[in-house]
Amino acid sequence: MKKFRKVLDGLSSSSPGGVASPSCGSAAGTPTAHAPTPQDIHVQETLVSENFQICKTVRHGFPYQPTCLAFDPVQKILAIGSRTGGIRILGRPGVDCYSQHESGAAVLQLQFLINEGALVTACADDTLHLWNLRQRRPAILHSLKFNRERITFCHLPFQSKWLYVGTERGNTHIVNIESFVLSGYVIMWNKAIELATKAHPGPVVHLSDSPKDEGKLLIGFESGTVVQWDLRAKKVDFRIYYDEAIHSVSWHHEGKQFMCSHSDGSLTMWNLRNTARPIQITYPHGKILKDGRKESCKPILKVEYKTSRNSSEPYVIFSGGLSYDKSGGRRPTLTIMHGKAITVLEMDHPIVEFLVLCDTPYSNEVQDPYAVVVLLEKDFIVVDLTQSNFPIFENPYPMDIHESPVTCTAYFAECPPDIIPILYSIGAKQKKTGYSHKEWPVSGGTWTLGSQTYPEIIVTGHADGTVKFWDASAITLQMLYKLKTSKVFEKPKVGEGRAGELVEEDPYAVQMVSWCPHSRLFCVVGISAHVILYRFSKHDANTQIVSLEVRLQFDSEDVISPSEAENNPCFSDPSSHSPQPPGSPGSGTQDSLPCLKVKNRPVRMPPGYQAELVVQLQWVDGEPPQQITSLDINSAYGLLAFGNCNGLTVVDFLQKTILMCMGTLDLYGAADPYQRLTRSPRKNRQSTSGLTELSDNQVSMDMERSKSPTSESRENSFSRSRSSSVSSIDRDTKESVTTLQFGESYGRKGDALPTACLWVGTSLGVVLLLPISIPTEEEERMEEPITMGPSGTVLMLKGSVLRFAFLDCGGALIQSPYEVWRDPNGPEDPDRPRRRKLVNFSPSSSQEACSDGHLAVVCSEKQAKVILMPTQAVLFTHNITESSFLLRADVVSVCNSVCLACFCANGHIMTLSLPSLRPLMDINYLPLTDLRIARTFVFTNGGQALYLSSPTEIQRLTYSQEMTDNLQDMLGELFTPIETPEAQNKGFLKGFFGGNAQTFDREELFGEAAAGKASRSLAQHIPGPMGLENMKTAAGGVVGDLARARIALDQRGERLGELEERTALMMNSAETFSTHAHQVMLKQKDKKWYQL
């Protein structure tokens, strides 16, 4: 009944502007005998609100603005913190987890609880958080907020439950990891330094326990003071004073000496036997000048001092330290010193932090470093230390999405299954060589391919003109293929051409792409008002790229009558492939040239996507062409259409001709629904340029869509380069072509059969329909001209038109017809000449469906309508938003049905049922903060979507309840039960006479019984959503049981090990006693009783 009322509402309402009345009673709208009426449409809709739920799935790319790094050497997982409070945890390919602190405070430091499945984060808001990693989605177990002191450094000894926390005031606090409360044991700065010292030592910049004795804590202060604190005796063992500020400290594994890095670019080595002065001071990159002075050097921000079994020489690895004279023209460096060999690795970006990966988690064993993880501001690399030339490992994560800034995105789910292997095989030839042959060292966690996977591809366009294809199947991301669109053009010389005036930095930046995975046709729109058409081939080719140039700028003097425009393009010769000579009729002034110059010689093209056609808009009257705002391509028709704020161009890419080139006003003919103001008279043609802009005060984002999606600075410079002499009257009358869609439809109300059509949507909410007459025979198609022309206004909506889609009368989505792919450079078979194979999804594909007509879904920035073709009756109307506007709308398939998915500028994600436009979901997901999200947000089939969450990261999400329910099975496990490596046997004498760290009981010192409680005002404990005892068993199921079993085995093994050691000691003592007794017996046996 509700559905029937909605049909009646659609019948009784009249569309705005007095056009496209849904009533079927008028003579013009009378349906044919076979055409259905609105009363005949009965679609059984299956989607309900319970089918939808918003959930973030996975984040790809390089962590934006990284701050810190940590590695678990047993679990072999790595964590990266960011300035915005994000944490990325990486393991083997497929194990990639993103978590976010609610506060958004920068992450200052990360500390793994090694092999315990937990992570401690220290944030800039002076809060410590304990994260549980024994579940697929990490969660916070505890938080501890410091109220009176700022956190500067944290240290967690291996297999300890007590975390040392250094503060800006120079104090050191101790936190119990299990309960996450402060101990009463505090090392105050004034007790750590000498009483005679009046100056404050500065913040704590380093904390570490001695490898020789865990009861000794080394505290480094920023001023250059280093103190070893005896935790048991609660006093200082020694103090070291140095003139230069300390940045980092690193122990030798034997615990007898350590190394410091300083702000003057020096490294100092200290021996515990004599702490009065360093035993060695080196300036690795500083030379002695002629006058005897040292070169001034940049600070060494971090140093790692590691020993190796295979070499008597240790590794000294540090960042920074270059002399100021040399560093001006040099990039950031990482230096590896091994014996007398010094290797300097130059980096493309500043170093944020680095870590040396070692085989053992024990600090008192030979470290044996095998790799260095280097976190840069915009990259992430791992250096192989086991080879003399120090190659880097091939990174399995998609960390190079931002290699050039992302300017547009496209998302294709349920692709043909053969497309990914083909793209991968071609793209494999593009990969760089020279990588380390060893396996990627960050190999922790487990991940299995989920049961509900299907081929997915993400396409990204970039500011330098490159286009990247990514395999996005099973919530992973892997590079498939890279296409460089700039290779189509000649390199512009400095000061030459118009490209520099149009866009100073990125003349090839990609604005939008259109891809047909079935026919493998690919089309790219660039910022310099150019369109490039590519065909896919498995073979290389040496071909000439065809170039067409279009003058798509109209004045009041340039109006072409509909009768002329229907069959004739604006070129005098439609088959002309070259620009008109300067001064020819209609070509404007002498600068009627495109922004870029296409290569005019045969070009060798490798296998993959090969450029076939380039269409460029020309400069006119000294003004650059307006950027392209809409694009569509159809392989079955052989047509390409694009539009901007001046008009529409249709290209026949089979015949390589311009089929149509019309101003937006000319598309209406005499049926213009708007009362437009006449233009003010102008004196000369120079000032009457047809270049116009949208209204400055217009609420919609058409203005922004007409700009390049590159950085704001480039947008601003481009905006300034546009004409500012256009009057406000001209702006008000300008209308952009905002969306285009080829498809089988009914060009006029009276049509009985569907034909090829082009649907056109404008920024004023008008929908136009252009029927196309295409020869059916292949020979005629390549020779006979195609005719097309506007048939009048179909519909009007509020706001700019964003999307078209077509449904059959059963509610199923009608796909656009396409040509089956064939290799254009494949070998010819003389017996079987190649012919085009077309696949058509027309509503008239069967005799039964011939009388069905079809439904057209039209969505604008403000509302959506469903109309019945060919009668053009409006069946359903829904006003989506009044106070905001839509940024993206797509008709997608979800749960074996279809719906309209919308993303609004106020952050709401909505879904509407089809065809009734019944609201199914409306969730306030993401308030729009910048234009990057607006330009990159896209929906696809299967209930998935993505957007660029930062300049370097792609965020994927699902709006399907089914996928949300199955997400846990698709994500990787971060924690896997692994036996902790056993510590090396030190031998009896070393363990008996040396300082045995295992005898140190922190509980006795730091527990409440011994140290008391800390002041409540110092820090506030905040419990997490999970219970206190759930950390080790939160994973549940088999993993939890295995974890418990592992812990029990560890405890049993420790007890057995202690028993074995005690037994060995007793046996040694017994043997010693027996030997001594035997010697005494031999000595005394021959003596008389009185000689004893």
Side-chain angles (χ1 to χ4, degrees):
M1 193 63 189
K2 182 178 179 182
K3 189 179 298 180
F4 186 69
R5 278 203 304 271
K6 287 200 175 186
V7 172
L8 291 179
D9 291 341
L11 285 170
S12 61
S13 64
S14 61
S15 60
V19 295
S21 171
S23 173
C24 298
S26 63
T30 304
T32 62
H34 300 286
T37 61
Q39 291 90 334
D40 298 331
I41 305 300
H42 297 287
V43 177
Q44 186 65 41
E45 295 180 1
T46 58
L47 292 177
V48 293
S49 298
E50 287 71 24
N51 294 127
F52 297 93
Q53 176 62 48
I54 294 287
C55 179
K56 290 181 180 179
T57 54
V58 68
R59 182 172 291 205
H60 303 296
F62 179 77
Y64 185 54
Q65 296 179 326
T67 54
C68 52
L69 189 64
F71 183 72
D72 186 327
V74 179
Q75 288 289 319
K76 295 194 182 299
I77 57 175
L78 183 136
I80 300 174
S82 76
R83 199 177 301 169
T84 55
I87 309 170
R88 280 284 289 283
I89 303 175
L90 303 168
R92 67 177 67 247
V95 179
D96 187 343
C97 177
Y98 173 80
S99 297
Q100 175 71 40
H101 291 91
E102 289 185 6
S103 65
V107 182
L108 301 179
Q109 198 175 350
L110 298 163
Q111 285 276 315
F112 275 106
L113 276 67
I114 295 175
N115 204 27
E116 293 295 335
L119 175 71
V120 175
T121 59
C123 295
D125 60 353
D126 305 306
T127 306
L128 297 172
H129 304 275
L130 179 64
W131 292 81
N132 176 23
L133 307 184
R134 295 183 178 233
Q135 56 192 60
R136 295 176 191 245
R137 294 264 188 177
I140 292 177
L141 290 166
H142 304 279
S143 298
L144 188 66
K145 169 74 173 172
F146 279 73
N147 297 322
R148 296 187 300 188
E149 298 193 51
R150 309 219 61 183
I151 299 170
T152 56
F153 196 87
C154 297
H155 170 63
L156 180 67
F158 178 47
Q159 293 181 326
S160 168
K161 68 175 184 178
W162 298 95
L163 174 73
Y164 301 116
V165 181
T167 68
E168 194 175 38
R169 292 187 181 180
N171 302 324
T172 302
H173 300 275
I174 301 169
V175 178
N176 186 315
I177 289 297
E178 292 180 352
S179 60
F180 232 59
V181 295
L182 274 177
S183 166
Y185 193 113
V186 183
I187 306 171
M188 305 299 289
W189 68 270
N190 53 0
K191 293 183 179 179
I193 66 171
E194 287 181 319
L195 295 176
T197 306
K198 296 180 180 179
H200 190 280
V204 175
V205 296
H206 176 80
L207 292 168
S208 61
D209 48 335
S210 167
K212 188 177 179 181
D213 184 356
E214 291 179 351
K216 312 285 188 179
L217 182 67
L218 197 70
I219 307 172
F221 298 94
E222 189 180 60
S223 63
T225 302
V226 179
V227 170
Q228 180 165 291
W229 181 266
D230 189 329
L231 293 167
R232 301 182 192 87
K234 299 182 182 180
K235 65 182 182 67
V236 173
D237 284 345
F238 62 81
R239 296 180 180 91
I240 287 172
Y241 298 99
Y242 195 69
D243 295 336
E244 296 294 335
I246 287 177
H247 286 283
S248 70
V249 182
S250 183
W251 280 99
H252 186 280
H253 81 275
E254 291 180 349
K256 297 177 181 178
Q257 58 188 25
F258 58 87
M259 183 178 286
C260 300
S261 69
H262 300 277
S263 57
D264 64 343
S266 66
L267 296 173
T268 57
M269 181 79 78
W270 302 82
N271 194 300
L272 300 193
R273 290 182 179 178
N274 180 15
T275 57
R277 62 180 59 86
I279 61 172
Q280 186 181 12
I281 303 175
T282 56
Y283 290 82
H285 294 303
K287 295 180 180 178
I288 300 176
L289 303 176
K290 292 181 179 179
D291 57 2
R293 292 184 299 107
K294 287 276 187 183
E295 268 186 316
S296 58
C297 297
K298 288 190 171 183
I300 295 179
L301 300 178
K302 184 175 182 180
V303 64
E304 291 268 21
Y305 183 31
K306 302 295 181 185
T307 52
S308 173
R309 283 192 183 87
N310 300 327
S311 172
S312 59
E313 299 288 349
Y315 284 90
V316 178
I317 303 169
F318 61 89
S319 60
L322 287 181
S323 68
Y324 280 100
D325 295 336
K326 295 177 182 177
S327 62
R330 293 183 67 173
R331 295 182 289 184
T333 59
L334 182 80
T335 304
I336 302 173
M337 297 171 61
H338 187 217
K340 294 182 179 180
I342 300 178
T343 304
V344 180
L345 304 178
E346 290 193 342
M347 304 294 167
D348 292 332
H349 309 283
I351 297 173
V352 176
E353 191 178 351
F354 72 89
L355 285 177
V356 178
L357 307 189
C358 303
D359 282 328
T360 177
Y362 296 94
S363 62
N364 58 355
E365 294 181 356
V366 178
Q367 299 297 287
D368 268 341
Y370 59 88
V372 184
V373 178
V374 187
L375 178 64
L376 308 175
E377 279 189 2
K378 294 185 178 180
D379 203 358
F380 171 76
I381 63 171
V382 181
V383 181
D384 186 354
L385 288 179
T386 62
Q387 299 183 43
S388 59
N389 59 338
F390 302 127
I392 64 170
F393 289 87
E394 185 176 6
N395 197 327
Y397 317 122
M399 292 287 187
D400 57 347
I401 291 174
H402 64 290
E403 186 177 17
S404 173
V406 177
T407 52
C408 72
T409 57
Y411 194 2
F412 302 89
E414 301 171 358
C415 299
D418 60 337
I419 192 71
I420 289 179
I422 289 175
L423 286 174
Y424 182 80
S425 63
I426 299 293
K429 301 172 185 176
Q430 301 174 333
K431 287 191 175 181
K432 297 177 183 178
T433 56
Y435 292 112
S436 170
H437 299 297
K438 295 200 171 184
E439 290 187 6
W440 179 253
V442 186
S443 56
T446 55
W447 179 76
T448 55
L449 197 64
S451 58
Q452 298 182 341
T453 58
Y454 44 83
E456 298 175 71
I457 289 179
I458 293 172
V459 180
T460 56
H462 299 265
D464 64 352
T466 57
V467 177
K468 295 180 181 179
F469 291 77
W470 306 85
D471 177 10
S473 308
I475 70 169
T476 62
L477 197 69
Q478 195 71 32
M479 179 76 156
L480 287 175
Y481 175 72
K482 183 177 180 179
L483 175 66
K484 295 182 179 179
T485 63
S486 60
K487 290 188 173 182
V488 171
F489 304 100
E490 300 282 0
K491 289 184 179 179
K493 296 179 181 178
V494 179
E496 220 180 83
R498 294 287 185 180
E501 297 178 37
L502 181 67
V503 182
E504 296 176 3
E505 296 180 35
D506 302 309
Y508 311 111
V510 179
Q511 273 190 288
M512 63 182 77
V513 297
S514 180
W515 185 43
C516 176
H518 299 281
S519 63
R520 300 182 192 171
L521 275 184
F522 187 64
C523 204
V524 176
V525 170
I527 191 178
S528 299
H530 61 270
V531 182
I532 310 174
L533 176 66
Y534 290 89
R535 285 187 184 272
F536 186 84
S537 175
K538 295 180 181 179
H539 308 277
D540 57 3
N542 196 18
T543 57
Q544 178 95 25
I545 302 170
V546 178
S547 175
L548 300 178
E549 294 173 7
V550 181
R551 182 175 181 272
L552 188 57
Q553 296 186 358
F554 294 91
D555 298 313
S556 55
E557 297 93 339
D558 295 331
V559 174
I560 304 172
S561 65
S563 59
E564 292 174 337
E566 191 160 328
N567 297 318
N568 298 312
C570 64
F571 282 92
S572 56
D573 179 9
S575 62
S576 173
H577 296 172
S578 60
Q580 298 179 16
S584 62
S587 66
T589 58
Q590 59 180 1
D591 59 359
S592 292
L593 296 171
C595 300
L596 301 170
K597 185 179 179 182
V598 179
K599 292 179 179 177
N600 57 4
R601 62 185 184 278
V603 180
R604 186 194 171 278
M605 301 181 189
Y609 273 103
Q610 301 169 350
E612 179 178 284
L613 175 68
V614 179
V615 185
Q616 296 185 90
L617 300 185
Q618 295 175 336
W619 281 63
V620 176
D621 298 333
E623 297 289 347
Q626 294 293 307
Q627 292 178 18
I628 295 165
T629 56
S630 54
L631 169 74
D632 195 34
I633 186 170
N634 189 280
S635 56
Y637 302 159
L639 298 179
L640 162 68
F642 62 90
N644 64 5
C645 66
N646 284 317
L648 170 69
T649 299
V650 182
V651 178
D652 182 345
F653 62 78
L654 295 179
Q655 296 186 21
K656 308 294 190 298
T657 58
I658 306 294
L659 186 62
M660 171 184 282
C661 180
M662 295 181 70
T664 314
L665 299 184
D666 305 323
L667 294 173
Y668 291 103
D672 190 347
Y674 284 100
Q675 185 72 30
R676 300 182 192 263
L677 300 175
T678 57
R679 301 191 180 193
S680 57
R682 287 166 291 189
K683 294 182 180 179
N684 55 56
R685 188 171 180 84
Q686 288 292 338
S687 63
T688 60
S689 167
L691 229 185
T692 60
E693 295 187 7
L694 296 170
S695 172
D696 289 338
N697 57 8
Q698 194 168 346
V699 179
S700 73
M701 297 186 68
D702 297 313
M703 180 77 174
E704 300 301 336
R705 276 195 293 266
S706 70
K707 293 182 183 179
S708 162
T710 53
S711 67
E712 294 301 320
S713 61
R714 291 193 285 272
E715 290 168 359
N716 295 335
S717 64
F718 178 68
S719 299
R720 287 194 295 271
S721 71
R722 297 217 188 153
S723 171
S724 59
S725 63
V726 184
S727 69
S728 60
I729 298 177
D730 294 331
R731 291 194 187 102
D732 291 339
T733 59
K734 218 53 182 173
E735 186 174 8
S736 298
V737 176
T738 55
T739 186
L740 297 165
Q741 181 71 54
F742 286 105
E744 296 286 304
S745 189
Y746 300 86
R748 294 171 179 82
K749 291 184 180 180
D751 288 355
L753 294 174
T755 58
C757 292
L758 174 62
W759 288 68
V760 181
T762 75
S763 58
L764 296 182
V766 178
V767 176
L768 301 162
L769 194 54
L770 281 71
I772 310 170
S773 175
I774 303 176
T776 54
E777 294 295 327
E778 186 166 351
E779 292 77 9
E780 294 178 2
R781 174 66 187 85
M782 300 304 295
E783 297 174 2
E784 296 293 325
I786 291 176
T787 58
M788 67 181 298
S791 63
T793 305
V794 174
L795 189 67
M796 291 182 64
L797 298 90
K798 300 176 185 175
S800 300
V801 181
L802 297 179
R803 187 67 57 206
F804 295 120
F806 310 118
L807 310 176
D808 62 24
C809 289
L813 188 64
I814 302 175
Q815 301 289 343
S816 296
Y818 65 87
E819 177 189 358
V820 177
W821 176 76
R822 54 176 182 169
D823 198 324
N825 302 321
E828 292 281 354
D829 187 350
D831 299 331
R832 298 179 59 188
R834 291 192 299 174
R835 299 182 64 85
R836 299 177 70 215
K837 183 180 179 182
L838 307 182
V839 177
N840 197 341
F841 297 95
S842 168
S844 62
S845 56
S846 67
Q847 187 68 30
E848 181 182 352
C850 184
S851 62
D852 279 354
H854 74 88
L855 305 176
V857 181
V858 186
C859 185
S860 75
E861 291 178 327
K862 296 285 187 179
Q863 65 179 181
K865 292 187 178 183
V866 175
I867 61 174
L868 177 63
M869 300 299 289
T871 62
Q872 300 182 9
V874 178
L875 298 182
F876 302 100
T877 302
H878 180 71
N879 292 320
I880 300 173
T881 178
E882 294 293 340
S883 59
S884 187
F885 53 94
L886 295 187
L887 298 167
R888 182 80 188 195
D890 290 292
V891 174
V892 291
S893 61
V894 181
C895 301
N896 299 317
S897 188
V898 290
C899 69
L900 176 64
C902 308
F903 176 53
C904 195
N906 60 13
H908 285 247
I909 294 179
M910 296 164 278
T911 56
L912 305 173
S913 68
L914 289 175
S916 69
L917 299 177
R918 176 170 43 89
L920 296 171
M921 179 186 72
D922 186 350
I923 294 177
N924 186 4
Y925 169 75
L926 179 74
L928 183 65
T929 53
D930 52 44
L931 293 172
R932 180 186 64 251
I933 298 172
R935 287 174 176 145
T936 56
F937 198 103
V938 58
F939 295 97
T940 191
N941 295 330
Q944 295 199 76
L946 67 80
Y947 60 93
L948 209 64
S949 58
S950 74
T952 63
E953 296 168 289
I954 289 176
Q955 177 67 59
R956 291 167 68 179
L957 61 129
T958 180
Y959 48 95
S960 163
Q961 182 67 57
E962 181 183 5
M963 186 170 182
T964 302
D965 295 339
N966 296 325
L967 185 60
Q968 287 293 326
D969 298 331
M970 302 169 72
L971 296 172
E973 288 272 8
L974 296 173
F975 178 79
T976 51
I978 299 173
E979 286 289 338
T980 302
E982 292 185 6
Q984 293 177 359
N985 188 4
K986 296 181 181 180
F988 172 71
L989 292 176
K990 213 168 193 178
F992 193 77
F993 294 108
N996 192 351
Q998 294 182 359
T999 60
F1000 176 60
D1001 188 353
R1002 294 183 178 90
E1003 184 68 36
E1004 288 183 4
L1005 289 175
F1006 306 147
E1008 188 177 324
K1013 292 184 178 180
S1015 172
R1016 291 186 179 180
S1017 61
L1018 186 60
Q1020 175 189 359
H1021 176 254
I1022 306 168
M1026 300 180 65
L1028 296 177
E1029 285 81 28
N1030 289 347
M1031 190 188 82
K1032 292 184 178 179
T1033 56
V1038 176
V1039 174
D1041 293 338
L1042 286 172
R1044 284 190 292 272
R1046 182 190 67 78
I1047 293 165
L1049 282 171
D1050 283 348
Q1051 294 171 348
R1052 183 170 179 267
E1054 287 173 5
R1055 288 195 295 269
L1056 287 172
E1058 292 171 2
L1059 179 64
E1060 187 178 351
E1061 287 180 4
R1062 287 198 297 269
T1063 304
L1065 284 170
M1066 291 175 65
M1067 288 178 66
N1068 288 334
S1069 300
E1071 287 179 5
T1072 303
F1073 179 79
S1074 174
T1075 302
H1076 282 296
H1078 185 66
Q1079 289 174 351
V1080 171
M1081 183 269 295
L1082 291 176
K1083 187 177 179 180
Q1084 304 294 337
K1085 70 174 183 177
D1086 295 329
K1087 291 185 179 181
K1088 303 296 182 180
W1089 62 271
Y1090 52 83
Q1091 292 177 322
L1092 295 177

